[in-house]
Amino acid sequence: MMMQSLKTPKLTIVGAGPGDIELITMKAIKALKSADVVLYDALVNEELLQYASNAEIVFVGKRLGCHAYTQDQINDLIVSMAKTSGHVVRLKGGDPFVFGRGSEEIEFAEKFGIETAVVPGISSALGVPASAGISLTQRKIAESFWVITGTTSNHELSKDVHLASKSAATVVILMGMHKLDEIISIYKENRKDDLPIAIIQNGTKNSEQKVTGTISTITKLVAESKISSPAIIVIGEVVRNTSNWISYFQEHFDDEFIFQNLNL
């Protein structure tokens, strides 16, 4: 029979940010350092696991369409490990409440009387465009933005894309690369202007790739650049006004120079 832990069962849902290890919060690092178990997803930068040096580390994510665990299995694992080991940190890419199913896992754990907490993270929907110099709500250009999932629980494109395509808002689509042709068709159907579009793969990481075009050209550009998932899609006039100073300094100077000379 498995021994019951003397530690208080606890679940902390933690957002790991969009990929760059420096874009995790101090509170998230504290949670990792206090963890007895870390259950992490595929989009999490594994370098962050160094902060959980005393914890049991378990990969529960999805890679190339293959699930290590189903969501029901993850829920059960959270409860069983919290009861036997103590503090479980559920580490998720981006923010755990932006298409991260964090609320579902908290609701399940609380049914078993497990203490819960949430540490927000920088969502890739916000952090990746910003790091690429794209302002989602640039003054006099975009007054709002949509963040939409490209793949619903039914493996379909969200119907909200149809509504968003008719608005003047910036549209950010997550998990949408496999639906790119469908997205492009919707925009061509619903409007006559050839909107700018950017697709950013592995945003904020050293392996980041970005391609910028328009609704009529992006499919060809993506194929030529071999852009694939994980990537986010940004559609709107703000893409046309991308700031180039970030990439310029990253290309020409190292981080130490930038921090010392620009007080960043």
Side-chain angles (χ1 to χ4, degrees), residues 4-66:
Q4 188 78 6
S5 172
L6 297 177
K7 298 181 179 180
T8 301
K10 180 178 180 179
L11 166 66
T12 303
I13 305 284
V14 175
D20 182 341
I21 61 169
E22 294 182 346
L23 291 179
I24 194 169
T25 65
M26 292 180 65
K27 192 166 187 176
I29 291 173
K30 288 180 181 178
L32 286 169
K33 287 182 176 179
S34 68
D36 298 301
V37 178
V38 175
L39 308 178
Y40 75 100
D41 282 344
L43 294 180
V44 169
N45 190 326
E46 293 186 351
E47 291 182 46
L48 293 173
L49 299 175
Q50 65 183 304
Y51 295 114
S53 56
N54 297 318
E56 179 181 355
I57 308 295
V58 182
F59 173 73
V60 295
K62 180 176 71 172
R63 287 181 177 143
L64 298 175
C66 179

Side-chain angles (χ1 to χ4, degrees), residues 131 206 208 244-255 257-258 262:
S131 70
N206 292 332
E208 178 180 308
N244 294 318
W245 71 270
I246 296 176
S247 58
Y248 175 84
F249 277 102
Q250 288 176 338
E251 181 179 349
H252 290 83
F253 305 103
D254 59 25
D255 289 342
F257 176 92
I258 296 174
L262 298 181

Side-chain angles (χ1 to χ4, degrees), residues 1-11 35-39 54 56 58 74-89 112-115:
M1 180 180 245
M2 193 174 288
M3 295 292 292
Q4 188 78 6
S5 172
L6 297 177
K7 298 181 179 180
T8 301
K10 180 178 180 179
L11 166 66
D36 298 301
V37 178
V38 175
L39 308 178
N54 297 318
E56 179 181 355
V58 182
I74 292 171
N75 291 345
D76 290 337
L77 195 61
I78 287 170
V79 171
S80 63
M81 287 194 143
K83 289 185 174 180
T84 57
S85 299
H87 185 198
V88 174
V89 167
F112 295 84
I114 294 172
E115 178 186 345

Side-chain angles (χ1 to χ4, degrees), residues 138-213:
Q138 193 168 356
R139 194 162 64 96
K140 296 184 179 180
I141 296 176
E143 299 176 352
S144 62
F145 63 91
W146 295 59
V147 179
I148 306 174
T149 178
T151 306
T152 66
S153 57
N154 295 325
H155 307 290
E156 298 175 349
L157 181 67
S158 171
K159 290 181 172 57
D160 285 345
V161 175
H162 288 271
L163 297 173
S165 69
K166 298 176 183 178
S167 77
T170 305
V171 178
V172 180
I173 301 176
L174 307 180
M175 301 172 287
M177 284 303 291
H178 297 299
K179 307 287 187 180
L180 182 59
D181 289 342
E182 188 176 348
I183 293 166
I184 297 303
S185 295
I186 290 170
Y187 269 83
K188 287 181 177 179
E189 177 184 343
N190 289 337
R191 56 196 308 155
K192 295 180 180 179
D193 52 340
D194 197 17
L195 278 175
I197 177 171
I199 297 181
I200 308 163
Q201 178 182 339
N202 293 324
T204 77
K205 294 183 178 180
N206 292 332
S207 57
E208 178 180 308
Q209 286 185 280
K210 173 185 168 185
V211 61
T212 303

